[in-house]
Amino acid sequence: MSETPTRMAITWFEPTTVEPRYFVNRTELRAQLLGVLGERLARRGTYTVGVTGLRGVGKSIFSRWCLEEFAKAHRDRVVGVHVDLRMVGITEFLKEFIHRLGVGVRATLDAARDTSDDATRVRHWLDELQLLARSETVTESELRTVTRQHGVSAGLKTGLVDVLEVNNSFSWQQSTSAAQGSTRQFRVTADLLHRALREVLAHVETWTRLLVVVLFDDLDQMRADDLKRAVRNVLDIDHCVRLVHLRREALLDDIVREMDLSLEVPPLDAAALTEMVEGRLRHAPAYDQTLFAHNDVRVALRALTRVTGSPLVLLRWLTALAVENAFSPEQIAQWHAPERLERVVRNATNHGARVPLLRALAVALDAVPEVEPGVYDGEALERALREKDRKEAERLGLLGRVDSSDSSADWWVHGGLALLRPSVAATLRGEA
Protein backbone atom coordinates (compact mmCIF):
# COMPACT_ATOMS: atom_id res chain seq x y z
CA MET A 1 0.00 0.00 0.00
CA SER A 2 1.52 3.34 -1.08
CA GLU A 3 1.97 6.14 1.41
CA THR A 4 0.12 9.43 1.04
CA PRO A 5 2.55 12.06 -0.37
CA THR A 6 3.73 14.67 2.10
CA ARG A 7 5.66 16.95 -0.27
CA MET A 8 5.23 18.61 -3.62
CA ALA A 9 6.09 16.76 -6.80
CA ILE A 10 8.62 18.42 -9.06
CA THR A 11 8.55 17.08 -12.59
CA TRP A 12 5.04 18.10 -13.70
CA PHE A 13 6.05 21.74 -14.18
CA GLU A 14 8.24 20.78 -17.17
CA PRO A 15 9.80 24.24 -17.68
CA THR A 16 11.48 23.44 -20.98
CA THR A 17 8.68 21.55 -22.71
CA VAL A 18 7.39 23.02 -25.96
CA GLU A 19 4.53 20.57 -26.42
CA PRO A 20 1.71 22.44 -28.18
CA ARG A 21 -0.89 21.00 -25.75
CA TYR A 22 0.47 23.41 -23.13
CA PHE A 23 0.12 26.46 -25.38
CA VAL A 24 -2.01 29.35 -24.05
CA ASN A 25 -3.12 32.81 -25.17
CA ARG A 26 -1.44 34.73 -28.04
CA THR A 27 -4.84 34.98 -29.76
CA GLU A 28 -4.09 37.93 -32.07
CA LEU A 29 -0.53 36.88 -32.84
CA ARG A 30 -1.45 33.32 -33.76
CA ALA A 31 -4.30 34.57 -35.98
CA GLN A 32 -1.80 36.81 -37.76
CA LEU A 33 0.73 34.03 -38.36
CA LEU A 34 -1.93 31.52 -39.46
CA GLY A 35 -3.30 34.14 -41.85
CA VAL A 36 0.14 34.68 -43.41
CA LEU A 37 0.64 30.93 -43.81
CA GLY A 38 -2.80 30.69 -45.44
CA GLU A 39 -1.77 33.33 -47.98
CA ARG A 40 1.37 31.38 -48.84
CA LEU A 41 -0.64 28.21 -49.42
CA ALA A 42 -2.18 29.91 -52.43
CA ARG A 43 1.04 31.57 -53.62
CA ARG A 44 3.66 29.06 -52.43
CA GLY A 45 7.28 30.01 -53.12
CA THR A 46 9.81 31.28 -50.61
CA TYR A 47 8.81 33.45 -47.66
CA THR A 48 10.51 34.15 -44.32
CA VAL A 49 8.84 34.93 -41.01
CA GLY A 50 11.09 35.90 -38.11
CA VAL A 51 9.67 34.98 -34.71
CA THR A 52 11.47 36.83 -31.95
CA GLY A 53 11.15 37.84 -28.32
CA LEU A 54 12.97 37.71 -25.00
CA ARG A 55 14.50 34.52 -23.64
CA GLY A 56 11.93 32.17 -22.14
CA VAL A 57 8.93 34.12 -23.40
CA GLY A 58 7.47 31.14 -25.28
CA LYS A 59 8.61 31.60 -28.90
CA SER A 60 9.12 27.88 -29.54
CA ILE A 61 5.77 26.71 -28.21
CA PHE A 62 3.97 29.51 -30.09
CA SER A 63 5.69 28.64 -33.37
CA ARG A 64 5.18 24.88 -32.93
CA TRP A 65 1.49 25.29 -32.10
CA CYS A 66 0.92 27.44 -35.20
CA LEU A 67 2.86 25.05 -37.45
CA GLU A 68 0.99 21.98 -36.17
CA GLU A 69 -2.42 23.65 -36.40
CA PHE A 70 -1.77 24.89 -39.93
CA ALA A 71 -0.47 21.51 -41.12
CA LYS A 72 -3.41 19.76 -39.48
CA ALA A 73 -5.93 22.09 -41.14
CA HIS A 74 -4.36 21.50 -44.58
CA ARG A 75 -3.05 17.96 -44.20
CA ASP A 76 -3.42 17.23 -47.92
CA ARG A 77 -1.33 20.24 -48.98
CA VAL A 78 1.05 21.20 -46.17
CA VAL A 79 4.19 19.46 -44.95
CA GLY A 80 5.28 20.87 -41.61
CA VAL A 81 8.94 20.35 -40.68
CA HIS A 82 10.27 21.23 -37.22
CA VAL A 83 14.06 21.33 -36.88
CA ASP A 84 15.62 22.07 -33.50
CA LEU A 85 18.92 23.88 -34.07
CA ARG A 86 19.92 24.24 -30.44
CA MET A 87 23.54 23.13 -29.96
CA VAL A 88 23.82 21.33 -33.32
CA GLY A 89 26.26 21.91 -36.15
CA ILE A 90 25.43 22.42 -39.83
CA THR A 91 25.83 18.75 -40.83
CA GLU A 92 23.65 17.49 -37.96
CA PHE A 93 21.05 20.11 -38.81
CA LEU A 94 20.94 19.15 -42.49
CA LYS A 95 20.62 15.43 -41.73
CA GLU A 96 17.76 16.04 -39.31
CA PHE A 97 16.02 18.34 -41.79
CA ILE A 98 16.37 15.78 -44.57
CA HIS A 99 14.97 12.99 -42.39
CA ARG A 100 11.94 15.00 -41.29
CA LEU A 101 11.30 16.33 -44.79
CA GLY A 102 11.34 12.80 -46.21
CA VAL A 103 8.95 11.48 -43.57
CA GLY A 104 6.56 14.41 -44.00
CA VAL A 105 6.42 14.48 -47.80
CA ARG A 106 6.00 10.71 -48.10
CA ALA A 107 3.25 10.65 -45.47
CA THR A 108 1.33 13.39 -47.28
CA LEU A 109 1.69 11.76 -50.70
CA ASP A 110 0.74 8.35 -49.29
CA ALA A 111 -2.31 9.74 -47.50
CA ALA A 112 -3.44 11.28 -50.80
CA ARG A 113 -2.74 7.93 -52.57
CA ASP A 114 -0.78 9.88 -55.14
CA THR A 115 0.88 7.43 -57.54
CA SER A 116 1.40 9.88 -60.41
CA ASP A 117 4.71 10.02 -62.27
CA ASP A 118 5.55 13.28 -60.54
CA ALA A 119 4.88 11.81 -57.08
CA THR A 120 7.04 8.81 -57.98
CA ARG A 121 9.85 11.17 -59.04
CA VAL A 122 9.60 12.96 -55.70
CA ARG A 123 9.82 9.69 -53.76
CA HIS A 124 12.83 8.65 -55.86
CA TRP A 125 14.64 11.93 -55.19
CA LEU A 126 13.82 11.75 -51.49
CA ASP A 127 15.36 8.28 -51.31
CA GLU A 128 18.51 9.52 -52.99
CA LEU A 129 18.60 12.51 -50.63
CA GLN A 130 18.31 10.26 -47.60
CA LEU A 131 21.03 7.99 -48.97
CA LEU A 132 23.32 11.03 -49.04
CA ALA A 133 22.32 12.02 -45.51
CA ARG A 134 23.16 8.67 -43.91
CA SER A 135 26.50 8.04 -45.63
CA GLU A 136 29.94 9.61 -45.63
CA THR A 137 30.54 8.13 -49.07
CA VAL A 138 28.07 6.87 -51.69
CA THR A 139 28.93 4.20 -54.24
CA GLU A 140 27.48 3.80 -57.70
CA SER A 141 26.02 0.41 -56.74
CA GLU A 142 24.15 1.94 -53.77
CA LEU A 143 22.68 4.53 -56.10
CA ARG A 144 21.58 1.88 -58.61
CA THR A 145 19.81 0.01 -55.79
CA VAL A 146 17.73 3.10 -55.01
CA THR A 147 16.89 3.60 -58.70
CA ARG A 148 15.81 -0.04 -59.13
CA GLN A 149 13.39 0.33 -56.22
CA HIS A 150 11.51 2.95 -58.25
CA GLY A 151 11.67 1.26 -61.62
CA VAL A 152 13.66 2.30 -64.67
CA SER A 153 11.09 4.17 -66.75
CA ALA A 154 12.29 7.05 -68.86
CA GLY A 155 10.84 9.55 -66.41
CA LEU A 156 13.04 8.22 -63.64
CA LYS A 157 16.35 8.05 -65.44
CA THR A 158 17.38 11.51 -64.22
CA GLY A 159 17.70 11.42 -60.48
CA LEU A 160 18.90 13.86 -57.85
CA VAL A 161 22.52 12.70 -58.03
CA ASP A 162 22.48 13.04 -61.82
CA VAL A 163 21.43 16.69 -61.48
CA LEU A 164 24.07 17.34 -58.81
CA GLU A 165 26.76 15.78 -61.00
CA VAL A 166 25.76 17.89 -64.01
CA ASN A 167 25.97 20.98 -61.80
CA ASN A 168 29.50 19.99 -60.70
CA SER A 169 28.45 19.62 -57.06
CA PHE A 170 30.80 16.66 -56.66
CA SER A 171 33.11 14.41 -58.68
CA TRP A 172 33.22 10.61 -58.83
CA GLN A 173 36.34 8.87 -57.55
CA GLN A 174 37.49 5.40 -58.59
CA SER A 175 37.81 2.93 -55.71
CA THR A 176 39.16 -0.62 -55.70
CA SER A 177 38.68 -3.26 -53.02
CA ALA A 178 39.50 -6.98 -52.92
CA ALA A 179 35.90 -7.92 -52.15
CA GLN A 180 34.02 -5.74 -54.66
CA GLY A 181 36.56 -5.00 -57.34
CA SER A 182 36.50 -1.54 -58.88
CA THR A 183 33.65 0.89 -58.30
CA ARG A 184 33.00 4.60 -58.36
CA GLN A 185 32.12 6.58 -55.28
CA PHE A 186 31.96 10.16 -54.04
CA ARG A 187 32.28 11.84 -50.68
CA VAL A 188 29.25 13.48 -49.05
CA THR A 189 30.06 16.90 -47.60
CA ALA A 190 27.87 19.41 -45.77
CA ASP A 191 27.95 21.60 -48.88
CA LEU A 192 26.71 18.71 -51.03
CA LEU A 193 23.88 17.97 -48.57
CA HIS A 194 22.92 21.64 -48.62
CA ARG A 195 22.78 21.72 -52.42
CA ALA A 196 20.89 18.44 -52.58
CA LEU A 197 18.28 19.60 -50.08
CA ARG A 198 17.68 22.79 -52.08
CA GLU A 199 17.26 20.79 -55.29
CA VAL A 200 14.70 18.48 -53.68
CA LEU A 201 12.67 21.35 -52.23
CA ALA A 202 12.63 23.06 -55.63
CA HIS A 203 11.33 19.91 -57.28
CA VAL A 204 8.75 19.21 -54.57
CA GLU A 205 7.38 22.66 -55.40
CA THR A 206 7.48 21.96 -59.15
CA TRP A 207 6.15 18.40 -59.18
CA THR A 208 3.49 18.57 -56.45
CA ARG A 209 0.91 20.92 -54.93
CA LEU A 210 2.60 20.68 -51.55
CA LEU A 211 3.72 23.63 -49.45
CA VAL A 212 6.66 22.90 -47.16
CA VAL A 213 6.69 25.02 -43.98
CA VAL A 214 9.85 24.75 -41.90
CA LEU A 215 10.32 25.91 -38.31
CA PHE A 216 14.00 26.64 -37.74
CA ASP A 217 13.84 26.57 -33.95
CA ASP A 218 16.51 28.34 -31.86
CA LEU A 219 18.58 29.34 -34.86
CA ASP A 220 20.68 31.71 -32.76
CA GLN A 221 21.75 28.77 -30.57
CA MET A 222 23.18 26.78 -33.46
CA ARG A 223 26.75 25.60 -32.95
CA ALA A 224 28.53 28.01 -35.26
CA ASP A 225 31.37 30.51 -34.98
CA ASP A 226 29.43 33.15 -36.90
CA LEU A 227 25.70 33.76 -36.30
CA LYS A 228 25.31 35.62 -39.58
CA ARG A 229 26.80 32.70 -41.48
CA ALA A 230 24.47 30.28 -39.67
CA VAL A 231 21.48 32.42 -40.65
CA ARG A 232 22.75 32.59 -44.22
CA ASN A 233 22.98 28.78 -44.40
CA VAL A 234 19.33 28.58 -43.36
CA LEU A 235 18.05 31.37 -45.61
CA ASP A 236 19.78 29.83 -48.61
CA ILE A 237 17.31 26.95 -48.27
CA ASP A 238 14.42 28.24 -50.36
CA HIS A 239 11.25 26.95 -52.03
CA CYS A 240 9.57 26.75 -48.64
CA VAL A 241 8.06 29.00 -45.97
CA ARG A 242 10.69 29.56 -43.30
CA LEU A 243 9.68 30.26 -39.69
CA VAL A 244 12.92 31.48 -38.15
CA HIS A 245 12.98 31.58 -34.35
CA LEU A 246 15.57 33.97 -32.88
CA ARG A 247 16.09 35.55 -29.49
CA ARG A 248 15.63 39.30 -29.32
CA GLU A 249 19.34 39.95 -28.78
CA ALA A 250 20.23 38.02 -31.95
CA LEU A 251 18.26 40.38 -34.21
CA LEU A 252 21.21 42.17 -35.74
CA ASP A 253 20.42 44.65 -38.52
CA ASP A 254 21.83 42.36 -41.21
CA ILE A 255 19.54 39.56 -40.03
CA VAL A 256 16.41 41.70 -39.69
CA ARG A 257 16.76 42.76 -43.33
CA GLU A 258 16.48 39.12 -44.41
CA MET A 259 12.99 38.69 -42.89
CA ASP A 260 9.87 39.25 -45.01
CA LEU A 261 7.86 39.62 -41.81
CA SER A 262 8.91 39.89 -38.15
CA LEU A 263 6.61 38.87 -35.30
CA GLU A 264 7.55 39.58 -31.70
CA VAL A 265 6.19 37.28 -29.01
CA PRO A 266 5.50 39.51 -25.98
CA PRO A 267 5.59 38.55 -22.29
CA LEU A 268 2.45 36.90 -20.91
CA ASP A 269 0.21 38.69 -18.45
CA ALA A 270 -0.63 37.28 -15.02
CA ALA A 271 -3.91 35.71 -16.16
CA ALA A 272 -2.25 33.85 -19.04
CA LEU A 273 0.58 32.63 -16.81
CA THR A 274 -1.98 31.33 -14.30
CA GLU A 275 -3.82 29.56 -17.13
CA MET A 276 -0.52 27.98 -18.20
CA VAL A 277 0.14 26.62 -14.70
CA GLU A 278 -3.42 25.34 -14.41
CA GLY A 279 -2.99 23.49 -17.70
CA ARG A 280 -0.02 21.65 -16.30
CA LEU A 281 -1.76 21.17 -12.95
CA ARG A 282 -4.32 18.92 -14.66
CA HIS A 283 -1.48 16.42 -15.16
CA ALA A 284 -0.06 16.83 -11.64
CA PRO A 285 -0.41 14.31 -8.77
CA ALA A 286 -3.58 14.57 -6.68
CA TYR A 287 -1.60 15.91 -3.70
CA ASP A 288 -0.39 18.91 -5.72
CA GLN A 289 -3.82 19.54 -7.21
CA THR A 290 -5.21 19.75 -3.66
CA LEU A 291 -2.28 21.90 -2.54
CA PHE A 292 -2.77 24.44 -5.35
CA ALA A 293 -6.46 24.75 -4.46
CA HIS A 294 -5.54 26.25 -1.08
CA ASN A 295 -5.93 30.02 -0.88
CA ASP A 296 -2.42 30.65 0.49
CA VAL A 297 -0.87 28.87 -2.49
CA ARG A 298 -3.14 30.71 -4.93
CA VAL A 299 -2.02 34.01 -3.37
CA ALA A 300 1.64 32.99 -3.76
CA LEU A 301 1.07 32.01 -7.40
CA ARG A 302 -0.65 35.34 -8.13
CA ALA A 303 2.29 37.18 -6.58
CA LEU A 304 4.78 35.32 -8.77
CA THR A 305 2.81 35.94 -11.96
CA ARG A 306 2.81 39.68 -11.26
CA VAL A 307 6.61 39.94 -11.21
CA THR A 308 7.46 38.12 -14.46
CA GLY A 309 6.03 37.82 -17.94
CA SER A 310 8.21 34.83 -18.80
CA PRO A 311 6.64 31.34 -18.79
CA LEU A 312 10.09 29.74 -18.49
CA VAL A 313 11.11 31.89 -15.53
CA LEU A 314 7.82 31.26 -13.68
CA LEU A 315 8.05 27.49 -14.20
CA ARG A 316 11.68 27.43 -13.07
CA TRP A 317 10.74 29.35 -9.93
CA LEU A 318 7.90 26.93 -9.22
CA THR A 319 10.20 23.96 -9.82
CA ALA A 320 12.71 25.40 -7.35
CA LEU A 321 9.94 26.07 -4.82
CA ALA A 322 8.80 22.46 -5.22
CA VAL A 323 12.34 21.30 -4.46
CA GLU A 324 12.05 23.37 -1.26
CA ASN A 325 8.53 21.99 -0.59
CA ALA A 326 7.77 25.66 0.05
CA PHE A 327 4.02 25.48 -0.61
CA SER A 328 3.35 22.75 1.96
CA PRO A 329 0.97 23.75 4.80
CA GLU A 330 3.90 23.78 7.24
CA GLN A 331 6.06 26.12 5.13
CA ILE A 332 3.71 28.26 3.03
CA ALA A 333 3.89 31.21 5.43
CA GLN A 334 7.64 31.46 4.79
CA TRP A 335 7.70 30.69 1.06
CA HIS A 336 9.13 34.18 0.35
CA ALA A 337 11.71 34.26 3.19
CA PRO A 338 14.93 35.97 1.94
CA GLU A 339 17.16 32.91 2.34
CA ARG A 340 14.61 30.76 0.52
CA LEU A 341 14.33 33.19 -2.39
CA GLU A 342 18.11 33.16 -2.70
CA ARG A 343 18.08 29.38 -3.07
CA VAL A 344 15.16 29.54 -5.50
CA VAL A 345 16.87 32.10 -7.74
CA ARG A 346 20.16 30.20 -7.69
CA ASN A 347 18.29 27.01 -8.59
CA ALA A 348 16.33 28.76 -11.34
CA THR A 349 19.23 30.62 -12.94
CA ASN A 350 22.66 29.06 -12.62
CA HIS A 351 23.88 26.70 -9.90
CA GLY A 352 27.40 28.00 -10.43
CA ALA A 353 26.50 31.56 -9.44
CA ARG A 354 27.47 32.80 -5.99
CA VAL A 355 24.62 34.19 -3.87
CA PRO A 356 26.48 37.51 -3.32
CA LEU A 357 26.74 37.90 -7.10
CA LEU A 358 23.02 37.23 -7.53
CA ARG A 359 22.24 39.78 -4.84
CA ALA A 360 24.52 42.38 -6.42
CA LEU A 361 22.84 41.90 -9.81
CA ALA A 362 19.35 42.15 -8.32
CA VAL A 363 20.17 45.30 -6.35
CA ALA A 364 21.67 46.90 -9.48
CA LEU A 365 18.48 46.22 -11.44
CA ASP A 366 16.47 48.35 -9.02
CA ALA A 367 18.78 51.26 -9.80
CA VAL A 368 18.82 50.93 -13.60
CA PRO A 369 16.15 52.08 -16.09
CA GLU A 370 14.46 49.25 -18.01
CA VAL A 371 14.37 50.45 -21.63
CA GLU A 372 12.08 47.59 -22.65
CA PRO A 373 10.97 44.40 -20.87
CA GLY A 374 14.10 42.51 -19.80
CA VAL A 375 16.52 45.03 -21.37
CA TYR A 376 18.37 47.60 -19.24
CA ASP A 377 20.19 50.84 -19.98
CA GLY A 378 23.79 49.93 -20.80
CA GLU A 379 25.62 52.87 -19.24
CA ALA A 380 23.47 52.87 -16.10
CA LEU A 381 23.99 49.14 -15.55
CA GLU A 382 27.75 49.49 -15.87
CA ARG A 383 27.70 52.29 -13.29
CA ALA A 384 25.54 50.29 -10.87
CA LEU A 385 27.53 47.04 -11.08
CA ARG A 386 31.19 46.36 -10.39
CA GLU A 387 33.07 45.34 -13.53
CA LYS A 388 34.22 42.15 -11.82
CA ASP A 389 30.62 41.15 -11.07
CA ARG A 390 29.45 42.09 -14.55
CA LYS A 391 32.10 39.96 -16.23
CA GLU A 392 31.33 37.01 -13.96
CA ALA A 393 27.60 37.36 -14.61
CA GLU A 394 28.27 37.51 -18.35
CA ARG A 395 30.38 34.36 -18.18
CA LEU A 396 27.55 32.55 -16.37
CA GLY A 397 24.92 33.63 -18.88
CA LEU A 398 23.08 35.89 -16.44
CA LEU A 399 23.37 38.95 -18.65
CA GLY A 400 24.70 39.97 -22.05
CA ARG A 401 24.74 42.70 -24.66
CA VAL A 402 21.59 42.97 -26.76
CA ASP A 403 24.00 43.29 -29.68
CA SER A 404 27.16 41.37 -28.88
CA SER A 405 29.04 43.24 -31.61
CA ASP A 406 28.30 46.67 -30.09
CA SER A 407 30.24 47.55 -26.92
CA SER A 408 27.80 50.40 -26.14
CA ALA A 409 24.61 48.33 -26.51
CA ASP A 410 22.10 47.86 -23.70
CA TRP A 411 22.07 44.70 -21.59
CA TRP A 412 19.55 41.87 -21.35
CA VAL A 413 19.41 40.34 -17.89
CA HIS A 414 18.17 36.91 -16.81
CA GLY A 415 14.54 37.29 -15.71
CA GLY A 416 14.95 34.74 -12.93
CA LEU A 417 16.83 37.33 -10.85
CA ALA A 418 13.66 39.38 -10.27
CA LEU A 419 12.77 37.64 -6.99
CA LEU A 420 15.91 39.04 -5.36
CA ARG A 421 15.29 42.66 -6.36
CA PRO A 422 14.66 44.56 -3.11
CA SER A 423 11.51 46.17 -4.55
CA VAL A 424 10.10 42.80 -5.63
CA ALA A 425 11.03 40.99 -2.42
CA ALA A 426 9.30 43.71 -0.40
CA THR A 427 6.17 43.35 -2.53
CA LEU A 428 6.13 39.59 -2.01
CA ARG A 429 6.30 40.09 1.74
CA GLY A 430 3.49 42.63 1.62
CA GLU A 431 5.74 45.46 2.74
CA ALA A 432 5.35 47.68 -0.32
Side-chain angles (χ1 to χ4, degrees), residues 122-177:
V122 168
R123 291 184 178 96
H124 178 199
W125 279 47
L126 284 171
D127 282 351
E128 287 194 31
L129 181 61
Q130 293 194 307
L131 174 63
L132 298 180
R134 63 175 179 263
S135 310
E136 292 185 2
T137 58
V138 171
T139 67
E140 202 167 18
S141 59
E142 288 173 322
L143 196 58
R144 287 199 202 101
T145 300
V146 171
T147 302
R148 281 197 299 270
Q149 290 171 352
H150 293 277
V152 290
S153 65
L156 293 179
K157 285 184 178 177
T158 302
L160 169 63
V161 172
D162 296 314
V163 170
L164 293 171
E165 184 183 10
V166 168
N167 291 336
N168 298 315
S169 299
F170 70 92
S171 59
W172 289 99
Q173 302 294 321
Q174 200 73 23
S175 174
T176 304
S177 70

Side-chain angles (χ1 to χ4, degrees), residues 23-32 56-59 61-62 264-269 272 309 311:
F23 177 68
V24 298
N25 202 265
R26 317 290 193 193
T27 306
E28 292 183 10
L29 198 63
R30 71 194 194 197
Q32 186 177 0
V57 81
K59 300 179 292 296
I61 197 169
F62 163 74
E264 183 163 8
V265 180
L268 285 176
D269 60 25

Side-chain angles (χ1 to χ4, degrees), residues 67 71 79-83 96-102 104-105 201 212-216 241:
L67 177 59
V79 178
V81 180
H82 172 230
V83 187
E96 182 66 13
F97 189 153
I98 288 166
H99 169 71
R100 291 180 182 270
L101 177 68
V105 171
L201 285 167
V212 177
V213 183
V214 188
L215 170 56
F216 297 98
V241 174

Side-chain angles (χ1 to χ4, degrees), residues 143 262 279 281:
L143 196 58
S262 290
L281 188 59

Side-chain angles (χ1 to χ4, degrees), residues 51 59-60 63 215-220 243-247:
V51 179
K59 300 179 292 296
S60 288
S63 302
L215 170 56
F216 297 98
D217 209 351
D218 285 321
L219 174 54
D220 55 295
L243 303 181
V244 181
H245 162 198
L246 293 159
R247 289 174 175 172

Side-chain angles (χ1 to χ4, degrees), residues 23-281:
F23 177 68
V24 298
N25 202 265
R26 317 290 193 193
T27 306
E28 292 183 10
L29 198 63
R30 71 194 194 197
Q32 186 177 0
L33 180 51
L34 290 174
V36 167
L37 294 177
E39 289 182 33
R40 298 315 298 183
L41 185 58
R43 297 177 63 87
R44 300 205 296 164
T46 306
Y47 194 81
T48 308
V49 180
V51 179
T52 186
L54 297 174
R55 296 177 175 219
V57 81
K59 300 179 292 296
S60 288
I61 197 169
F62 163 74
S63 302
R64 281 193 60 177
W65 185 91
C66 290
L67 177 59
E68 288 197 12
E69 288 297 306
F70 184 67
K72 195 186 306 177
H74 305 281
R75 61 178 75 247
D76 60 332
R77 292 281 314 279
V78 172
V79 178
V81 180
H82 172 230
V83 187
D84 189 349
L85 295 169
R86 186 182 304 151
M87 295 183 291
V88 301
I90 182 66
T91 301
E92 297 167 275
F93 147 62
L94 290 170
K95 288 182 176 182
E96 182 66 13
F97 189 153
I98 288 166
H99 169 71
R100 291 180 182 270
L101 177 68
V103 170
V105 171
R106 280 197 191 85
T108 308
L109 292 175
D110 292 348
R113 298 182 180 179
D114 190 343
T115 57
S116 64
D117 285 347
D118 283 341
T120 303
R121 287 188 184 95
V122 168
R123 291 184 178 96
H124 178 199
W125 279 47
L126 284 171
D127 282 351
E128 287 194 31
L129 181 61
Q130 293 194 307
L131 174 63
L132 298 180
R134 63 175 179 263
S135 310
E136 292 185 2
T137 58
V138 171
T139 67
E140 202 167 18
S141 59
E142 288 173 322
L143 196 58
R144 287 199 202 101
T145 300
V146 171
T147 302
R148 281 197 299 270
Q149 290 171 352
H150 293 277
V152 290
S153 65
L156 293 179
K157 285 184 178 177
T158 302
L160 169 63
V161 172
D162 296 314
V163 170
L164 293 171
E165 184 183 10
V166 168
N167 291 336
N168 298 315
S169 299
F170 70 92
S171 59
W172 289 99
Q173 302 294 321
Q174 200 73 23
S175 174
T176 304
S177 70
Q180 297 180 338
S182 182
T183 185
R184 292 199 305 165
Q185 65 181 25
F186 60 87
R187 185 168 164 266
V188 180
T189 63
D191 183 61
L192 178 58
L193 283 179
H194 197 270
R195 289 169 184 256
L197 176 58
R198 290 162 58 194
E199 286 286 351
V200 169
L201 285 167
H203 285 78
V204 167
E205 184 177 89
T206 301
W207 291 336
T208 75
R209 296 172 62 247
L210 302 181
L211 173 69
V212 177
V213 183
V214 188
L215 170 56
F216 297 98
D217 209 351
D218 285 321
L219 174 54
D220 55 295
Q221 296 177 60
M222 191 174 183
R223 198 169 65 238
D225 295 331
D226 184 347
L227 175 60
K228 291 180 183 179
R229 183 182 174 193
V231 173
R232 184 72 269 153
N233 279 330
V234 164
L235 297 187
D236 280 345
I237 299 171
D238 47 13
H239 299 284
C240 60
V241 174
R242 304 173 290 210
L243 303 181
V244 181
H245 162 198
L246 293 159
R247 289 174 175 172
R248 169 67 183 80
E249 62 265 26
L251 278 184
L252 309 179
D253 286 344
D254 289 348
I255 294 175
V256 172
R257 284 197 292 270
E258 299 288 345
M259 304 297 157
D260 294 304
L261 173 69
S262 290
L263 298 177
E264 183 163 8
V265 180
L268 285 176
D269 60 25
L273 287 170
T274 301
E275 180 186 347
M276 177 193 71
V277 174
E278 289 174 343
R280 283 165 165 75
L281 188 59

